Amino acid sequence: MEPLFKGRHFITLEEWTKEEIDTLLQVSKELKRKFLNNEPTPYLTNKTAFLMFFEQSTRTRNSMEAGLAHLGGHATFLDTSMMQISHGESAKDTAVILSSYGHGIACRNCFWEVGNKYLREMAANSTVPIMNLQCDLYHPMQGLADLMTIQEVSPSTKNLKVSIIWAYAKSHKKPISVPLTQILLFPRYGMDVTLAYPKGYDLPIWAIEKAKKNALEHGGSFRITHDMEDAFRNADIVIPKNWGSWVNNQSTAVIDDLLESYKGWKCTEDMIKLASPNVYYMHALPADRGNEVEDSVIDGPHSIVYQEAENRLHTAKAVMAMTMGNK
Ligand code: CP
């Protein structure tokens, strides 16, 4: 049976089969080719989407806004602090109204134990697709772009050694949604995934169990280490990135004694030397330069962060082209 894409919500890649994700990636690749060749892609002519942001964004907002314009449609950026949401209007009422005005609603809400529930509430009441632009648990747009980038540099992902490594940062208390999405997604593509973090920065137990299950089902592997050097050693891809201690500590304070005790968790040239000679360095961005990573690494020959960021455009367009336009 043909998979159904039109009208589908895009909240977590866990709700999309591997075959469906492969189709999204094929479409992303084709859209990238057409974009680079300046070929028109009028797949959502006269369609509209509303982009609701509870938090700041550079890549996500602009890949969606530019992307929908490339597809012939129009995206409306909505700062939720300027919406009636700030006076208490419900997710349900917001979703019912906005879905009657257009063809898609996308939302970023990363508040801990709120964001995903908010998206689910909108999805339950929307007549158009709800697209997750990052919540407290998942960042599927980032996950899809990461996977596309990995496949571009390493077409065979079977037993590729990928290390997702916590790194020190103090810019803001970041969601866990990027590493959580990656540990669930990458084992489905046969990768050997290592998750490394210092004590106190756990991801939820249910996500760890699901990552192990995904690895078992798809021939990948998944392990946890609290030794940073162990994670870098012989890795084919390293993804050192900060995330907040949300599972262990729900305080919104950015800097505390625990965080400050792990300043040594930084991606340095010495760490890169431990990895495979052809290792790729990835980061969803924004990076906390000087804290998470040395400039010489992120600007160096192993870094593919700009390719990864560019692929946010092509994958966002694929998600919109495939799910929107049902009415
Ligand atoms: N990676 C990412 O989601 O970037 P923005 O926060 O700039 O959207």
Side-chain angles (χ1 to χ4, degrees), residues 193-240:
V193 175
T194 295
L195 176 68
Y197 60 92
K199 298 253 163 64
Y201 288 86
D202 301 84
L203 298 186
I205 290 167
W206 63 262
I208 300 299
E209 292 308 318
K210 191 64 177 33
K212 288 179 185 165
K213 189 166 178 281
N214 287 354
L216 205 61
E217 284 173 6
H218 297 280
S221 67
F222 176 77
R223 72 177 181 114
I224 292 176
T225 179
H226 300 299
D227 177 342
M228 180 178 60
E229 292 190 9
D230 173 35
F232 275 97
R233 203 165 287 118
N234 300 321
D236 298 310
I237 293 182
V238 293
I239 315 179

